[in-house]
Amino acid sequence: MTTQLEHPWQAALDKVKTWARVNSPWAIHFNTGSCNGCDIEIVATLTPRYDLERFGVKLQGSPRHADLLICTGPVTRQARDRLIRVYEQMPDPKFVVAVGSCAISGGAFRGCYNVVGHIDKVIPVHAYIPGCPPRPEAIIDGVVKLLGSLQPPAAKN
Amino acid sequence: MTTSVQTGTPTDPALGRAETILARWAPVASRPEPNRLDVPVPAEDVAQAAQALGRERWGYLAAITGLDHGPEADRLEALYHFCSGAAVLTLRALLPRHGGTVPSVAETFPLAMFFERELSEMFGVTVAGTPDPSRLFLPDDWPTGVYPLLKDVNPQAALAAQSETAPPRLQGKSDGDRFIVPIGPQHPALKEPGHFAFEVDGEVVKGASVRLGYVHRGIEKACEGQTWVQNLYLLERVCGICSHTHATCYALGVERLAGVEAPPRAQAIRVILGCLERIHSHLLWLGVAAHEAGFETLFMYSWRDRETIMDLLEQLSGNRVNYSCNVLGGVKFDISAEQAQAIRRALDFVEERTRHYLEVVSTDTLFLGRTQGIGVLSRQEAEYLGTVGPTARASGVPIDIRVTHPYAAYRAFPAEMVLDTAGDLTARFVVRMKEVFESGRVIRSILDNLPAGDLTVKMPRRIKPAETISRYEAPRGEVFYFLRSNGSDTPERVHIRTPSLCNWTSVLTKAVGAQLADVPLLLAGMDPCFSCNDRTVVITRPRRDPQVLSWEALRSAARQDRRR
Amino acid sequence: MTIPPIIHLLFFPGGLFMLALALAYEYVDRKVVARFQNRIGPRWFQPAADVLKLLIKEEVTPNVTHPVLFVALPVLALAGSLTAALSVPILGLNPALSFPGDLIVTVYLLSLVTMSMGLAGWNTNNRFSLIGATRSLTQVFCYEAPFMLALLGPAVVTGSWRITEILQTLDGQWIVFSQPIGFLVAVVGLMGKLEMPPFDAPKAKTEIVAGAMTEYSGRGLGLFHLGKIVEEVVGLSLLAALYLGGVSNPLAFFGKTLALLVVMAACHCLFTRLRIDQTVGVWWRYGTVLVLLQWIAVILWRVMTA
């Protein structure tokens, strides 16, 4: 009988936790060797026309403060270990967003000798935003979709 | 021959003078193109020849290209390109494919330090007496003895063989006072990985270095395996901010190799897009630099206004970044009358906003407190260190490829150089803002007189064997392309030398002796573009108590108390 | 009706109420800054979501010198600022805790937040948090002295060290007109203590990794953040109460403190960040000199009119 009573508390608490996580995704950005196109569009999302702060996304400096790792670039060999290290420094729960064709498949640099390839060869990725580069709106859309997917499925009561 | 701005600086007198200076080797010199002089010199004489040129102050060292003629020919050439105005002089040193040695020219031309490192790590050439023999672009865990740009080397195979053993994981190194933070810059406005090392003594910087190569992707090698047309799309993505620069510079060079000239309307459209790119790049830089200074509001406002240009670029080309307007032989799209009107309206708006920004950067007291008198680079220093672009022009160096060596439509629609004499950070801000006006003026003059005609001209698929040098004024400075064709539909060699590489020396030299607090803005002031770069630069002379900082750590450390 | 002290402490006007008020003020601050920068800005529940998320996030304990300190310091910071709130007339109500000299104690408690952050930075064995910590402490000391002296201006005029007595004696008088320099010094001092731009040289906003908070995550970061924003509200209340004619009712309280907040947010947007040597070197000398001049003027006035 006691298990029945715990359920409402548990469910409510989980809802609150998810709400907080979904509405306050602090991000850091890491460029693993991209041409900068995607990075400029990511920076543009902070600017008045797109304003990512509306969604609660704040760009942090330290991986320890972040929930979201926004990654660009085809992962050059020099950057690979740094990427892993940054990912490991982030506390849970954490999510990775791969922005741009290079991050998804290597893009134009697929096969180049100093390029490892796509980001999910190195760290797990939760959202892919294609484009070369993707527009700021596309980046925001991708981040919002990722946040939306974190919501629990609607209760079918 | 009188100097006329339409044709650029006259090259015959300059080349004649060069022949006189290099009289010892002049008999074997040749003129592959009207503005170029090739002088083969024995490898051991390279330093002497460079010294002679340096003594007579003939031009500056633009690039050092390695050229592998392949295992059958069994020769390697090291090409030293010197530029004076529109004239380009190339010293050609013949070397064996393995184990060749060439003396360093870094004493006369400090910039050579980087070029030589690239030469040695890509081709296996030993440069005797170079101040710094360490890696430039290649990563730390690159197998020794594998020189990627040699024709018979397959880097992927070599790497696959090496990764039988797992590559070493990065260890946090801690050696006494050495502390290495292996995080790339997570700064909202500077999006490129780079690793800075500043040796500090109290608050004064004693030595400076930067480890690049984080964005080195191996593009030059990839170019050799793809067709001329495919490379156009690859080279557009060398850098997202100056994508049109690379594409146009390459296209102009390839057209010259093929002996073909794109129609005037196409050249005009290329210039219009180039000027728009310059405007957007300078506004971008203004926001970034303002952010470095902690002036968030200026960052937000300038990027908001920059959106007008991005909309325009999208309207013209279909994409905000990587506009891809070039084809080999011309451009892909036209500019209609409505689009021309839209361009004019957008320029009106942007110019009005830029007037405001110019006022802010030159009169805001607190801002001037962060920029005036800081990082002063005199004209002599700038020339000696090989600085290019607005950073050089802010010190009074009259270097601007659009003026001294006009390309595309700049012969018909000349640009004017924007110069300043102060040489400090404020001057760099002012020069870039004024260049926005100048670019706007050029765009308007072209729109008012847009030449009629075709957009493309037929280009052969195979390009007869030839060499050429293509130079272009990117928003950051001179971009230098060396192209060589071999009669097939793939290039023999594509060598890219980007402006940021030239500017590192000057900035890092200025950082030495400066206050640590001023360093971030100094670095931002040169408008660094790592992805254009792909090059590593070390100037440091590390002694005791070095601090190795990542970019954002540097920025924060720079805000620390200068009085320890 | 006397409210039991425990309710004062935990719920109203201390404790939970202060936290809620602090979150609301953070929202106003961020929204005003965003609007100045031509952006839309965060949603009204954003600060609450941020803090909640931090509290439930995994906390990574780095290699620290003293693990106990690592956990205790954030709690100390929040406790310090909440305790300071007890002596300040929030919402125009009488402070729960009032004793002679509570002005000084309150100001010291306000500094506890930044000092805990500094100590926390030293504690984590990260070179950059150490540097950030040292600079942070340097700045807070440089701004503390003029700030304290400026707040004591009204104390000198009314002849008491007790906040409630000062307010009673002043009885709605706007000291800002008779001691404008003191007010200016107090506002700048508060901005410096809070490390608000343009005085955010030690931390340069949370985007910059280095600084005392580099290695903190999750709960610790959340508690420090709460301590900071409560400090902001308490500081604003003090300034409004002492200089802007007291806060006798909730309307006056909100009006005056929010007006001050908007002014500070405007300063945030209008100026470029000052270098640490500019923030510290200049202010330590001129700020103190200015406020001492103000004091001399006030004392002379009292002597002459006594």
Side-chain angles (χ1 to χ4, degrees), chain B residues 6-46:
Chain B
Q6 274 84 14
T7 54
T9 55
T11 54
D12 277 347
L15 292 178
R17 210 163 72 93
E19 276 175 336
T20 321
I21 297 169
L22 301 172
R24 252 178 72 184
W25 306 280
V28 287
S30 60
R31 301 260 186 125
E33 283 176 302
N35 69 319
R36 283 179 53 212
L37 179 69
D38 271 357
V39 182
V41 296
E44 56 274 10
D45 286 350
V46 161

Side-chain angles (χ1 to χ4, degrees), chain B residues 263-284:
Chain B
R265 194 176 176 90
Q267 303 280 36
I269 293 177
R270 280 176 176 167
V271 168
I272 290 179
L273 241 23
C275 288
L276 285 175
E277 183 179 66
R278 178 160 290 118
I279 294 177
H280 111 74
S281 173
H282 284 337
L283 285 177
L284 183 155

